[in-house]
Amino acid sequence: MSTEATMEKGEQIYEGKAKKLYTTANPDLLIQYFKDDATAFNAQKRGTIGDKGVVNNKISEKLFNLLEKEGIPTHFVKRLSDREMLVKHLQIIPIEVIVRNIIAGSMAKRLGIEEGTVAKETIIDLCYKCDELGDPLINEYHALALEWITREQLARVKELTLKINDVLRKFFDERGLILVDFKLEFGLHKGEVLLADEICPDTCRLWDKATREKMDKDRFRRDLGNVEEAYQEVLRRVLA
Ligand code: TMP
Ligand code: ASP
């Protein structure tokens, strides 16, 4: 079936905090819709960021295309509209993979480390993807013992994650942005591990290289103002 025949949105099968998923006529493909809704601290703080959905859709498109070119398999098929992209229908692995190049956010708080401390090596944290529990931090033993992922899939996830970090760090650096940390999700499609979800200022910490100004969702989380402006500036640089 050609993708042209699958553009019509079918049934909504999922609604998360920032996105919705719809079926298409092709059971292998879904439409991922980006909302302007923003939440933080396990949805205790709620709001909207004007045109965030449009910005995150376009940033994710650019980054998925970049990663595909670098040999990273992703769920991205193509962008359909301002707020919609066509993606492969995955079975999501219920683990959030967090990569940290610079210590910030929850890790700075948990371990009492000053935000901005450079990590000597790349850090990978795993969280169990479960909204009711607030996505708790886990480790590889939990993930394997509870059969959320196989040993083989975990090895592949880690291999892809480190490669993604290399590609994205260089890409943002060339655009005057420091990739501090970010969150990835993966899923299975016909037995293959694919990068899923989105990559955008909601899921990355990005600091301006010259001024160290925060250019990501921390502006919303921490009430720093100019949230929309920061997202638009990241889009401008990503597309430059
Ligand atoms: P953290 O400092 O709160 O652990 O966040 C680390 C990175 O992961 C940061 O770039 C934001 C991103 N992240 C998400 O994308 N979704 C989440 O639910 C959380 C908690 C963090
Ligand atoms: N999106 C998550 C939440 O609402 C956390 C975050 O991005 O800070 O809870």
Side-chain angles (χ1 to χ4, degrees):
M1 190 183 298
S2 87
T3 51
E4 295 307 319
T6 64
M7 303 307 167
E8 280 294 300
K9 276 215 292 272
E11 185 197 343
Q12 182 185 307
I13 56 165
Y14 171 84
E15 177 159 14
K17 290 181 290 233
K19 297 186 298 305
K20 298 185 207 178
L21 287 174
Y22 297 87
T23 58
T24 66
N26 182 341
D28 243 12
L29 299 172
L30 297 177
I31 291 171
Q32 175 162 269
Y33 177 95
F34 290 75
K35 304 192 282 184
D36 285 349
D37 299 352
T39 65
F41 315 115
N42 203 26
Q44 288 176 67
K45 180 184 173 86
R46 289 173 180 277
T48 58
I49 299 174
D51 276 342
K52 173 170 85 76
V54 179
V55 170
N56 286 355
N57 189 21
K58 290 183 182 169
I59 293 175
S60 292
E61 173 193 25
K62 173 75 188 183
L63 298 178
F64 282 135
N65 276 327
L66 168 75
L67 291 168
E68 287 277 356
K69 246 187 255 150
E70 297 288 337
I72 307 287
T74 80
H75 73 154
F76 179 73
V77 178
K78 67 173 179 174
R79 187 165 63 81
L80 297 174
S81 66
D82 267 3
R83 290 176 183 275
E84 292 166 339
M85 62 168 59
L86 193 64
V87 297
K88 290 181 186 154
H89 193 166
L90 309 183
Q91 183 196 335
I92 290 288
I93 297 170
I95 295 172
E96 298 197 345
V97 179
I98 294 174
V99 181
R100 302 179 189 274
N101 297 307
I102 294 179
I103 314 300
S106 72
M107 181 172 171
K109 201 169 165 201
R110 190 169 56 248
L111 300 182
I113 299 168
E114 195 187 344
E115 193 163 83
T117 304
V118 177
K120 278 270 190 297
E121 290 180 25
T122 304
I123 296 165
I124 298 181
D125 277 337
L126 303 180
C127 296
Y128 175 43
K129 190 173 155 60
C130 176
D131 278 344
E132 297 86 76
L133 298 175
D135 301 334
L137 188 64
I138 57 164
N139 64 33
E140 295 187 11
Y141 292 96
H142 298 91
L144 292 168
L146 297 170
E147 297 185 298
W148 290 327
I149 195 166
T150 67
R151 212 170 284 280
E152 195 185 20
Q153 289 160 1
L154 180 61
R156 181 67 172 149
V157 161
K158 289 201 289 186
E159 180 195 2
L160 292 174
T161 295
L162 293 175
K163 180 135 190 235
I164 292 165
N165 187 39
D166 288 345
V167 172
L168 293 183
R169 241 197 322 181
K170 177 164 176 283
F171 177 86
F172 283 118
D173 181 72
E174 288 164 357
R175 285 154 182 83
L177 291 166
I178 301 168
L179 180 58
V180 172
D181 59 24
F182 58 101
K183 187 261 297 181
L184 300 174
E185 294 185 27
F186 293 89
L188 301 172
H189 184 77
K190 299 178 178 164
E192 194 191 1
V193 175
L194 302 186
L195 177 64
D197 198 48
E198 61 181 327
I199 308 177
C200 62
D202 277 12
T203 63
C204 299
R205 282 198 172 89
L206 297 164
W207 294 353
D208 182 86
K209 228 160 90 176
T211 64
R212 310 279 284 182
E213 210 184 337
K214 298 184 195 325
M215 305 290 287
D216 56 65
K217 196 173 154 190
D218 270 348
R219 300 206 71 82
F220 167 78
R221 293 189 189 98
R222 303 179 189 190
D223 296 318
L224 300 176
N226 295 324
V227 186
E228 280 86 358
E229 290 80 356
Y231 275 66
Q232 292 291 345
E233 176 60 16
V234 172
L235 175 63
R236 196 188 64 73
R237 293 196 201 183
V238 161
L239 297 182

